[in-house]
Amino acid sequence: TKLNGGGGGRSGSIVAPLVVNEDFQRIDVNPPKGTRDFPPEDMRLRNWLFNHFKEVSRLFGYEEVDFPVLETEALFIRKAGEEIRDQLYCFEDRGNRRVALRPELTPSLARLVIQKGKSVSLPLKWFAVGQCWRYERMTRGRRREHYQWNMDIIGVPQVTAEAELISSIVTFFKRIGITASDVGFKVSSRKVLQEMLRKYGVPENLFGRVCVIIDKIEKIPVDELKKELGSTGISEDAIEQLLLVLSVKSLDDLEEILGGAGEAIADLKQLFSLAEKFGYSEWIQFDASVVRGLAYYTGIVFEGFDRKGKLRAICGGGRYDRLLSTYGGDDIPACGFGFGDAVIVELLKEKDLLPELGQEIENIVCALDKDLQGAAATVATALRSKGQTVDLVLEYKPLKWVFKRADRVNARRLVLVGKKEWEDGSVSVKVLSSGEQFQVKLNDLE
Ligand SMILES: Nc1ccc(Br)nc1
């Protein structure tokens, strides 16, 4: 490293030291492909969104939990052909362990519940907001990380659990100004598929795989869908009947096909009845084609959608009664949902509902004289100890500069430490909105 002629010292007018080192390459200052930085303005929106997630969760009596972003890869290895598996961000660590960046939170939650075992009493109502990852070939230029809000109920077999989860999401939407005219929930049950597959003698172990294929019903051509279903060994007749059932538009029509004795109809009728009691009937509709893309759902499934049909699913969830036992845990019923941080922001933009979130500082404190910097620090500390937010000007600056900064940080007032006033422990205060200016003893300033 070669320093230029000694100009790097602490002189009054610091000459920026020119460090020339041909070995330095300018690094790429952008975040890794598919990831985001959160500069202050973006972080304010993220905190606003996450605070609503968390406040709703606490309103419903849920406890916050979290897990490592890095998990054993085995937690996510399922052989049902899920996209989440194909895009697993997995690698071998320096200890030759197969690990993965979590693509979702539910498996970690299941792991923790099993780990806690009898030390926790059911039902558990837990929530988390955590970053989740996927490794997608950048060909599609999509993001590789997002934050997901999850709420889960562990240990309640009744549909009241799913009904409460949907109520919590409706509560969230209402808090941010989204109405039932903007968004709805498509609701169905995988027990519909289960009953159909049983009727056609399809082996139970194909259930998850068939659901994952059927989740593509609106994403791939029907012939391709039929081909994929056929590849599992299901007969053409069964496939035709399946697709017929999935096109059913009402619970009554579904009952016609399935008969009234099955759990699918009973669960769905109970859910729609509870929706009435929770007061969100206008938000939900039966849609037999909703199966969701995760293999482990076993019962009610639901997804939030924008009624204009311009965006991908906003959120989704359902019952997963077998997940804990697949990890070697007890057979504990569970249900939950995931709500990503991306589509909701697109929806808020669409509806012009993004909040205005500027920085807000109550005080800018500055010394009017070079040797009053210490006094300014005393003033700032006194205000901060009273819970006042303070931006302390940390080096001597002309007033013009201070006013500009006050404007940029949206300060409510200027607190000026001047020589004469400070001699009797006073400061000058200028309220920036009104221009009002007064002197006050520091101890009386609040
Ligand atoms: N599962 C998952 C993870 C990360 C993103 Br971005 N999308 C989906």
Side-chain angles (χ1 to χ4, degrees):
T1 302
K2 294 190 289 296
L3 288 178
N4 69 333
R10 293 274 177 274
S11 56
S13 58
I14 291 177
V15 174
L18 177 63
V19 175
V20 180
N21 179 336
E22 58 278 8
D23 294 335
F24 279 176
Q25 299 294 323
R26 176 179 159 82
I27 56 159
D28 177 357
V29 292
N30 294 303
K33 276 185 186 307
T35 69
R36 299 164 289 174
D37 293 316
F38 286 88
E41 64 278 10
D42 295 344
M43 198 64 199
R44 282 194 284 269
L45 177 61
R46 173 172 138 180
N47 284 333
W48 172 85
L49 186 67
F50 290 12
N51 288 342
H52 279 296
F53 287 159
K54 296 183 178 186
E55 282 164 23
V56 168
S57 303
R58 290 190 188 102
L59 187 68
F60 276 70
Y62 287 57
E63 295 175 280
E64 187 166 12
V65 293
D66 196 6
F67 327 96
V69 177
L70 186 73
E71 284 278 11
T72 167
E73 183 188 47
L75 206 55
F76 311 110
I77 300 292
R78 299 186 291 262
K79 297 179 181 60
E82 296 155 288
E83 185 182 71
I84 210 165
R85 166 82 185 85
D86 301 340
Q87 296 175 346
L88 197 59
Y89 210 132
C90 53
F91 55 96
E92 188 162 297
D93 72 9
R94 291 176 186 275
N96 303 110
R97 279 178 290 272
R98 292 296 306 170
V99 289
L101 296 180
R102 64 190 178 196
E104 54 162 332
L105 300 176
T106 307
S108 301
L109 180 135
R111 177 179 59 70
L112 183 58
V113 171
I114 297 169
Q115 179 201 126
K116 289 296 179 189
K118 300 275 183 277
S119 71
V120 288
S121 55
L122 300 177
L124 293 172
K125 295 184 172 185
W126 287 354
F127 79 91
V129 180
Q131 191 175 37
C132 297
W133 293 82
R134 68 180 171 195
Y135 190 86
E136 189 172 66
R137 299 268 165 257
M138 283 322 273
T139 43
R140 292 168 62 174
R142 291 203 298 172
R143 284 220 317 288
R144 286 184 172 158
E145 55 76 23
H146 73 170
Y147 284 80
Q148 246 198 32
W149 169 39
N150 279 221
M151 289 178 79
D152 290 84
I153 302 170
I154 311 293
V156 176
Q158 288 81 13
V159 172
T160 37
E162 291 93 319
E164 171 167 279
L165 289 174
I166 295 173
S167 175
S168 64
I169 306 174
V170 168
T171 303
F172 166 78
F173 280 134
K174 287 178 172 175
R175 282 167 72 106
I176 63 172
I178 297 284
T179 70
S181 311
D182 302 318
V183 163
F185 292 86
K186 294 173 184 170
V187 179
S188 184
S189 170
R190 282 198 171 175
K191 289 178 183 173
V192 171
L193 273 178
Q194 195 177 39
E195 289 170 27
M196 287 300 292
L197 293 177
R198 278 182 187 151
K199 194 171 166 182
Y200 287 90
V202 176
E204 292 284 336
N205 64 353
L206 282 179
F207 180 62
R209 218 171 122 203
V210 169
C211 290
V212 169
I213 294 170
I214 286 174
D215 179 58
K216 302 179 208 172
I217 195 163
E218 284 167 12
K219 299 163 193 162
I220 63 175
V222 67
D223 290 346
E224 204 177 309
L225 191 79
K226 288 181 178 175
K227 194 160 163 250
E228 280 200 41
L229 287 169
S231 72
T232 67
I234 302 179
S235 70
E236 282 187 20
D237 181 36
I239 291 170
E240 288 305 323
Q241 286 307 308
L242 271 187
L243 296 179
L244 177 72
V245 163
L246 293 171
S247 65
V248 159
K249 291 302 174 205
S250 76
L251 270 183
D252 292 343
D253 293 350
L254 184 69
E255 193 165 3
E256 281 287 305
I257 297 174
L258 293 183
E263 286 184 21
I265 291 290
D267 286 352
L268 286 163
K269 281 183 172 176
Q270 193 191 2
L271 184 83
F272 279 85
S273 161
L274 285 164
E276 197 73 42
K277 305 289 186 262
F278 275 103
Y280 61 73
S281 293
E282 57 177 342
W283 290 76
I284 67 169
Q285 63 198 53
F286 171 70
D287 184 326
S289 69
V290 173
V291 284
R292 299 295 296 162
L294 293 168
Y296 52 66
Y297 288 129
T298 55
I300 295 282
V301 283
F302 54 87
E303 71 186 30
F305 69 99
D306 84 291
R307 293 192 187 275
K308 281 191 175 168
K310 290 170 107 175
L311 304 173
R312 303 184 308 284
I314 302 164
C315 57
R319 179 161 290 279
Y320 52 94
D321 285 347
R322 307 280 304 124
L323 185 63
L324 278 79
S325 55
T326 61
Y327 291 141
D330 295 338
D331 227 354
I332 301 174
C335 59
F337 68 78
F339 193 125
D341 70 339
V343 178
I344 184 63
V345 171
E346 290 170 51
L347 180 70
L348 288 169
K349 281 177 187 159
E350 279 279 314
K351 305 290 179 189
D352 196 20
L353 284 171
L354 280 179
E356 301 256 322
L357 300 167
Q359 184 179 13
E360 286 176 357
I361 293 264
E362 281 152 326
N363 307 278
I364 280 207
V365 173
C366 79
L368 290 179
D369 201 300
K370 288 197 177 99
D371 52 21
L372 284 172
Q373 200 57 51
T378 302
V379 172
T381 304
L383 286 168
R384 286 164 175 162
S385 65
K386 293 175 184 173
Q388 291 252 343
T389 53
V390 174
D391 175 30
L392 172 60
V393 177
L394 296 170
E395 49 190 339
Y396 177 71
K397 291 287 182 183
L399 258 186
K400 191 165 173 249
W401 182 97
V402 178
F403 273 95
K404 242 195 243 173
R405 179 159 176 91
D407 186 48
R408 200 164 54 70
V409 303
N410 196 19
R412 191 168 64 81
R413 62 186 189 184
L414 234 47
V415 178
L416 307 167
V417 184
K419 199 173 181 67
K420 203 160 65 54
E421 296 86 355
W422 189 241
E423 278 160 9
D424 70 355
S426 297
V427 291
S428 288
V429 178
K430 185 178 180 62
V431 180
L432 293 166
S433 54
S434 63
E436 181 202 0
Q437 187 149 350
F438 54 92
Q439 285 186 13
V440 61
K441 290 267 188 199
L442 175 59
N443 295 340
D444 299 335
L445 181 56
E446 61 239 350

